[in-house]
Amino acid sequence: MATRRKALLVGVSVTMALALVGCGATAEEGEAGAGGDGKPITGLRIMVPNSPGGGYDTTARTAAKVMEDAKIAAGVQVFNLPGAGGTVGLQRIVNEKGNGKLTMQMGLGVVGASYTSKSSATLTDTTPLAKMIEEAGAVVVPKNSPYRTINDLVTAWKANPEGLAVGGGSSPGGPDHLLPMQLAKTIGIDPRQVNYISYDGGGELLPALLGGKVAFGASGFGEFLDQVEAGQLRVLAVTSEAPVDALPEVPTLKSAGIDLVFTNWRGIVAPPGISDADKKLWIDALTRMHDSAEWKTELTKRGWTDAFVTGDQFAAFLTQQDKSVADLLKQLGLA
């Protein structure tokens, strides 16, 4: 619990980029570098395409720690390359064509940002490696908010859609933006009336919530668990099909009479044109991480849902997500 709290307080959101820039980590570099003789892989770097403390950052740093604890990799470095909802990192990945030493943590937010930011680089240009987790969203208010239940908030929001600002830790097109837009549509508010304020990751959203700069927040619930437990924030509802173990007393939107289920996800991609050997190296390493007891412990502790698929399965999922997000953003006039 203390480890999770410390990680989340560094700054919070929604996702991870493994950038193997430097020494080691390809099959051609020898058995030790590739872990072929049982030794940990070396030279791995994890690029996070948004600011420290967000969901991607938390996932990346957790994955790095698990890979080290499970002796899958040694000396894993995590660094941040924020900007434009993750598309600065996306452009970096695409520009590194053929570089088997570089991968990127990403998720639903990068899918949407690639459209709203008019990025010349797209996820269809990358090499999909693995989808890792899913996470329920949450509707969150500060402790002194007048809204005690999700229905209190919905009533006030419907009466004044433009007057109640909602904050999210992603740019337009990201999960924290898509969630309130879909929620608004479900309860009968024109999404174009929503006063959405974008923050660069949960690390920037948190002080806005605590400072009352927004009426409510929409983000992954895991980004606020420490503040919820400390009594600084209240979660009015989660967006999963069923209640989450970490917040057993919090209702789902569906149980509150709102017919919406929304799930965020995070995964890892590599540059285009990497070798089959490098692709296999990464998928094997990530599979070993997923199968480890250490990773299972982290899933439980953080309330993440295991959603691990690799290679072609992840590629097909990305294609479906890309179309779904593009269609929604077109309806909103954002793509």
Side-chain angles (χ1 to χ4, degrees), residues 86-96 119-121:
T87 57
V88 171
L90 177 59
Q91 186 67 63
R92 162 80 177 272
I93 285 293
V94 172
N95 287 348
E96 294 279 351
S119 173
S120 59

Side-chain angles (χ1 to χ4, degrees), residues 16 104-107 130-133 265-269 314:
M16 190 162 94
M104 183 181 79
Q105 162 69 46
M106 47 73 69
K131 177 186 173 189
M132 300 176 69
I133 63 167
W265 57 269
R266 297 177 194 136
I268 298 176
V269 298
F314 182 39

